Amino acid sequence: MYALSFILLLSLAPFGDSRPSAGEGLASLLTRQQYEQLFPHHHPIYTYEALIKAAATFPAFAGEGTREIRLRELAAFFAHAAHETTSGWSGAKGGPYSWGLVYTDEQACLDGHCTQYNTGGTSPYKPVAGKSYYGRGPLQLTYAYNYGLAGQELGLPLLENPEMVGKDGAVAFRTALWFWMKAQTPKPSCHDVICGKWQPTAADRAARRTPGFGMTINIINGGVECRTETPAGKDARQERIGFYRHFAVLLKVSVEKDCDCKGMGTYGN
């Protein structure tokens, strides 16, 4: 078992009182006021109500373990969602980390040229003619096979209507939480990793895969960000870490001293 070392990041300004009790739902952990402080420029579909509604489908999300574990998971999930949907930059008003959850759709694909995502691979979920399966939602759900599997497990017609993910806030958050909570072999779920429920195998240890935020980067985009030192890959990785630490400050929760995935063996994604 790996023991994580944590540091406490202290907020420089009051963030409101939050004394959640496990099992009471996400609303007991995060108030509407806090959500608006975390995402002051969020897109209109990404409402607090949409998040709470979606989280009810996944009661284990930010619902297991101590208060600190629950808040840490919330900071980690928000960090990835903010990175995937940010419109911030270094000189942005309020700082670059104030601009998460701005975009609903993958901006580079709006002209319809991202046809590489229109594949079901070896899965039974085949693309529907005329539909595009580029990134949508807080964690940018991509590929027809992911839309198909998520749609089946959530009871939504996402293969036939992938646009739902970019237009309905509750659907958007549900697909993001679906990905967050789901283990896809050989990868563990981000939820299990950040909560400390995942235990590395001997092969994981040999590949330097250990619990913590860095491992969630590895799960989501390790092949692009963890095994490269190109400026783009490194910047993306550091932005995720920056968001994580930013949200941890606001949520008043400790995070790992080492939040990076550099040096971890990846899964080829």
Side-chain angles (χ1 to χ4, degrees):
M1 181 181 296
Y2 281 82
L4 295 179
S5 297
F6 293 96
I7 56 174
L8 182 61
L9 297 174
L10 299 177
S11 176
L12 299 179
F15 190 63
D17 190 21
S18 178
R19 297 185 177 89
S21 299
E24 293 182 359
L26 184 56
S28 73
L29 192 70
L30 183 76
T31 67
R32 184 202 310 272
Q33 180 184 9
Q34 289 173 327
Y35 178 80
E36 295 296 336
Q37 287 179 280
L38 292 170
F39 300 105
H41 307 289
H42 65 78
H43 190 279
I45 75 164
Y46 292 135
T47 64
Y48 174 77
E49 290 77 12
L51 173 64
I52 297 301
K53 181 178 180 180
T57 306
F58 300 94
F61 170 69
E64 295 189 292
T66 64
R67 175 181 183 274
E68 287 72 24
I69 289 173
R70 296 175 68 203
L71 287 170
R72 194 172 299 126
E73 179 176 15
L74 197 58
F77 173 78
F78 282 160
H80 289 295
H83 166 77
E84 298 290 350
T85 60
T86 184
S87 68
W89 69 99
S90 60
K93 182 179 179 181
Y97 302 127
S98 297
W99 293 83
L101 292 181
V102 172
Y103 295 126
T104 62
D105 291 24
E106 189 174 352
Q107 295 299 288
C109 297
L110 296 181
D111 62 2
H113 79 277
C114 296
T115 57
Q116 71 270 23
Y117 295 133
N118 299 342
T119 176
T122 59
S123 80
Y125 309 107
K126 304 307 179 186
V128 173
K131 297 297 182 178
S132 295
Y133 301 93
Y134 56 75
R136 295 182 179 91
L139 291 186
Q140 296 288 280
L141 187 70
T142 54
Y143 292 103
Y145 52 80
N146 280 326
Y147 277 84
L149 181 59
Q152 180 187 52
E153 296 191 355
L154 294 173
L156 297 168
L158 299 186
L159 270 181
E160 298 78 11
N161 189 8
E163 298 87 356
M164 290 177 67
V165 183
K167 294 180 178 179
D168 184 311
V171 170
F173 277 121
R174 285 180 73 193
T175 63
L177 290 172
W178 169 83
F179 178 85
W180 184 262
M181 301 297 294
K182 186 174 183 62
Q184 299 195 47
T185 306
K187 300 178 184 181
S189 72
C190 292
H191 169 77
D192 284 354
V193 164
I194 205 68
C195 291
K197 297 175 67 176
W198 169 69
Q199 295 300 315
T201 65
D204 289 319
R205 292 192 292 272
R208 300 174 64 185
R209 291 192 287 259
T210 58
F213 184 75
M215 184 62 181
T216 67
I217 302 176
N218 197 354
I219 292 169
I220 292 172
N221 206 25
V224 175
E225 297 177 24
C226 300
R227 65 180 183 187
T228 180
E229 282 301 299
T230 63
K234 185 177 180 180
D235 287 350
R237 193 172 76 231
Q238 292 304 315
E239 183 176 83
R240 292 182 195 272
I241 295 169
F243 270 118
Y244 181 46
R245 288 175 169 158
H246 170 75
F247 291 136
V249 166
L250 294 180
L251 292 170
K252 295 186 174 70
V253 67
S254 61
V255 299
E256 311 93 294
K257 291 180 180 179
D258 182 5
C259 303
D260 211 336
C261 63
K262 181 180 178 181
M264 287 187 184
T266 62
Y267 297 95
N269 57 330

